Amino acid sequence: SNSKIVHLPALKDGDMTRRRPDTAKMRQLLEKEPLTLEQVLQKLLQNTHTSFKLDSIKLYHQQIEQAIKESKYGSNPKELYEPIEYIMSLGGKRMRPILVMIACDLFDGDTNKALHPALAIEIFHNFTLVHDDIMDKAPLRRNKETVHIKWNDNIAILSGDAMMVKAYQEICKAEPKQLPELLSIFNDTALKVCEGQQMDMNLEKLLKVSIPQYLKMIEINTAVLLDGALKNGALIGGAREEDALHLYDFGIHIRIAF
């Protein structure tokens, strides 16, 4: 049907197995030309004999942008809340919340029920960017002043902390019966992001970093948000735990490939 994001052939029991990506094929694709994350996603799905509608990505992007614009983070004190509105208004691919929506729809789920958990992922992601920019002393984010430059370090830290709370407020709007499992995945994801950031800082001090060390760091530091987004979206859509784990694995590989 036109409302479906991904169309899979009918599977018999036991057909769905964990598949590792064709690294040789992906390497050939990546060597030909630089690809955006959307293009990598499209190529991977094509290589697994899956048709994918990028128009649906645009639709979900619009829904998420509209929800962000309508979000009320707070007003007083303005020094706390204005930085939140600022960083959330800077745009971006919104790939993480989009993946929540896609994964939900893949299992014929109601994507309206996935919207708040999707926003939670995006708010959390931007919270990590605010704190990362402080640690990296970065002057720009998406060609705009970073929060700690536009205001100061203390305000950026406190506003980032408030964003973490806002992320939890959004995910708590999920269906009550699904909330414990969604929170468990969200908490595990959040902690792994912190672990990955510390690992990244540790590797900066080494004179030589092995490929396995680097891959482990990016798997935890960057890939885990995609994994968590896909798994949560699948569970909201009614997927079995086994199938949700397949998407979790997919999230790991697509982010490492990117």
Side-chain angles (χ1 to χ4, degrees):
S1 105
N2 291 333
S3 65
K4 295 298 176 285
I5 299 302
V6 179
H7 301 276
L8 295 173
L11 295 175
K12 298 178 182 179
D13 290 341
D15 279 355
M16 187 172 277
T17 57
R18 296 192 177 208
R19 298 176 182 173
R20 297 300 174 188
D22 186 338
T23 53
K25 185 175 292 185
M26 281 307 302
R27 189 177 298 111
Q28 291 174 0
L29 289 170
L30 293 170
E31 285 175 350
K32 289 181 180 179
E33 57 180 333
L35 299 176
T36 66
L37 184 55
E38 280 190 359
Q39 289 170 327
V40 171
L41 179 60
Q42 173 80 331
K43 295 288 187 181
L44 280 172
L45 287 166
Q46 288 174 350
N47 289 338
T48 54
H49 309 292
T50 306
S51 62
F52 190 74
K53 295 186 176 180
L54 288 179
D55 286 346
S56 298
I57 288 184
K58 295 176 183 177
L59 174 62
Y60 287 142
H61 190 281
Q62 291 170 0
Q63 290 178 331
I64 290 161
E65 287 290 352
Q66 185 63 32
I68 289 173
K69 288 178 182 178
E70 294 175 356
S71 295
K72 305 296 182 184
Y73 303 108
S75 58
N76 188 38
K78 64 183 180 64
E79 293 84 0
L80 178 67
Y81 293 112
E82 283 184 356
I84 300 177
E85 294 180 359
Y86 173 76
I87 188 68
M88 293 300 296
S89 70
L90 294 186
K93 297 181 291 294
R94 310 295 192 196
M95 184 57 68
R96 293 156 190 83
I98 287 172
L99 287 176
V100 177
M101 308 285 278
I102 289 174
C104 176
D105 200 17
L106 174 60
F107 294 94
D108 295 327
D110 181 356
T111 54
N112 289 323
K113 295 180 180 179
L115 183 57
H116 289 295
L119 289 176
I121 288 284
E122 184 65 9
I123 293 171
F124 176 80
H125 170 58
N126 279 272
F127 146 66
T128 66
L129 299 182
V130 171
H131 281 194
D132 282 353
D133 288 340
I134 299 170
M135 288 185 279
D136 296 340
K137 298 180 174 59
L140 297 175
R141 167 68 61 183
R142 297 167 185 151
N143 293 319
K144 301 287 186 180
E145 283 184 314
T146 49
V147 171
H148 71 100
I149 293 294
K150 188 173 179 64
W151 283 272
N152 59 55
D153 286 2
N154 290 339
I155 286 178
I157 291 170
L158 196 58
S159 291
D161 292 343
M163 291 179 74
M164 182 69 169
V165 177
K166 292 294 180 182
Y168 275 103
Q169 288 177 339
E170 287 296 332
I171 200 168
C172 284
K173 296 175 184 176
E175 291 287 305
K177 64 180 181 180
Q178 293 181 322
L179 186 56
E181 190 165 14
L182 298 181
L183 275 174
S184 177
I185 296 168
F186 188 82
N187 289 337
D188 182 62
T189 297
L191 189 58
K192 283 183 177 177
V193 169
C194 296
E195 292 172 354
Q197 180 65 17
Q198 184 61 56
M199 190 179 298
D200 189 6
M201 294 164 62
N202 292 346
L203 293 184
E204 289 178 357
K205 300 176 183 178
L206 301 180
L207 295 176
K208 184 177 181 180
V209 177
S210 68
I211 291 177
Q213 283 177 309
Y214 180 74
L215 289 177
K216 183 63 177 177
M217 184 273 292
I218 62 172
E219 176 182 328
I220 296 176
N221 196 23
T222 60
V224 71
L225 268 179
L226 294 187
D227 317 341
L230 284 163
K231 188 175 182 182
N232 265 356
L235 293 174
I236 294 167
R240 297 178 304 170
E241 176 69 19
E242 178 187 5
D243 292 338
L245 285 174
H246 296 321
L247 286 188
Y248 186 88
D249 284 349
F250 175 73
I252 293 175
H253 294 309
I254 191 174
R255 185 61 190 182
I256 291 175
F258 173 68

